[in-house]
Amino acid sequence: MNLIEYADSELMMMDLAHIVAGEINRKLMHSERASLALPGGTTPGPVMDALSATSLDWERVDVMLTDERWVPEDDPRSNARLLRERLLVDKAAKANFIPFWSDAGAPEECVPVAADKVRAAMPLTLVLLGMGEDMHTASLFPGAENLDTALSPNAPPLLALHPPGVPEARVTLTARVINDAMNKHLVIIGDAKREALEKARASGDGHVAPVAAVMRDLTVHWAKE
Ligand SMILES: O=C(O)[C@H](O)[C@@H](O)[C@H](O)[C@H](O)COP(=O)(O)O
């Protein structure tokens, strides 16, 4: 794991967003057919804003989420909504979005169709991850009923989970897909997440600290606040 600290008072969140967007842009531009996975939540918005304005041949870029909340795309909690509002605009509007959510049924019924599209996009060119203070990443949550499957080396590309204490069902890239990516980055903000990251690194056990399962060759971007 490579840790980059943006703790300097001059390097604020926007600088981190532009630096990470620049790194993503550099990795995507050198791939004939590129594929990118971005997280949901509150952290990646500024990175998406910066990335949406970068000049890339976006038509040859497959874009997906690292995980989705199983809610309609007009729901404020939808990660697809976040992506459509913050990334798939401006120059990046031409990207090929691979949605996970579908109104065709339960997540378990819909996952196989999206999983085939993820499989076709592998190995992903770059995965950008977020992390919770409970050391979850994507929707690989501690205590989730089929976390073992999601962490196993022969996991399917995509899996539905019902994590305890999470308001909706989730669909997530599995650890195998994330670790198969050519580039892995994590963006976290604040001291509490920095402590959680160090706790995960010390643990090394993905079943207790799921982010530990994807730490090999991971570049972490940490801003103090
Ligand atoms: O759907 C999600 O919520 C994300 O994909 C999830 O893995 C997120 O990255 C972390 O929960 C951190 O979220 P924040 O950036 O909001 O702290």
Side-chain angles (χ1 to χ4, degrees):
M1 180 180 90
N2 170 34
L3 176 68
I4 302 171
E5 296 189 9
Y6 301 73
D8 184 314
S9 58
E10 271 66 58
L11 263 183
M12 304 300 286
M13 180 59 208
M14 284 319 294
D15 297 277
L16 180 153
H18 282 94
I19 290 168
V20 173
E23 177 65 13
I24 294 172
N25 181 270
R26 273 188 297 280
K27 297 300 183 189
L28 295 182
M29 72 168 51
H30 294 308
S31 302
E32 184 53 38
R33 178 76 199 169
S35 50
L36 170 65
L38 295 171
T42 58
T43 304
V47 176
M48 294 176 183
D49 294 339
L51 191 55
S52 67
T54 62
S55 296
L56 264 179
D57 186 1
W58 282 101
E59 288 171 341
R60 58 170 182 77
V61 182
D62 290 331
V63 173
M64 66 188 78
L65 289 151
T66 58
D67 60 314
E68 181 59 284
R69 295 96 176 264
W70 205 255
V71 293
E73 288 199 4
D74 60 0
D75 187 301
R77 284 187 55 78
S78 164
N79 288 339
R81 172 173 171 168
L82 172 74
L83 207 68
R84 291 187 191 280
E85 290 177 349
R86 306 290 292 271
L87 177 71
L88 302 175
V89 294
D90 197 349
K91 295 185 177 72
K94 292 180 181 172
N96 173 44
F97 177 43
I98 299 174
F100 293 165
W101 181 82
S102 162
D103 62 1
E108 289 79 1
E109 296 165 345
C110 300
V111 156
V113 172
D116 285 344
K117 295 174 184 172
V118 172
R119 197 176 281 114
M122 289 172 64
L124 300 183
T125 311
L126 190 141
V127 174
L128 179 66
L129 294 165
M131 189 194 79
E133 292 180 23
D134 64 354
M135 302 178 284
H136 84 263
T137 190
S139 279
L140 305 171
F141 282 84
E145 78 280 20
N146 48 5
L147 179 64
D148 289 356
T149 305
L151 296 178
S152 71
N154 53 9
L158 211 55
L159 204 60
L161 295 95
H162 301 262
V166 172
E168 65 280 304
R170 298 290 187 98
V171 166
T172 186
L173 293 181
T174 53
R176 177 174 71 86
V177 175
I178 296 168
N179 286 322
D180 178 68
M182 291 180 260
N183 300 276
K184 291 188 290 181
H185 291 256
L186 169 69
V187 176
I188 52 174
I189 310 295
D191 291 333
K193 287 192 179 183
R194 176 69 184 273
E195 286 163 26
L197 181 78
E198 295 308 330
K199 186 178 167 190
R201 179 158 52 173
S203 160
D205 181 352
H207 295 84
V208 172
V211 72
V214 296
M215 271 187 180
R216 189 186 71 244
D217 302 327
L218 178 70
T219 299
V220 179
H221 305 266
W222 173 74
K224 194 162 180 54
E225 279 305 338

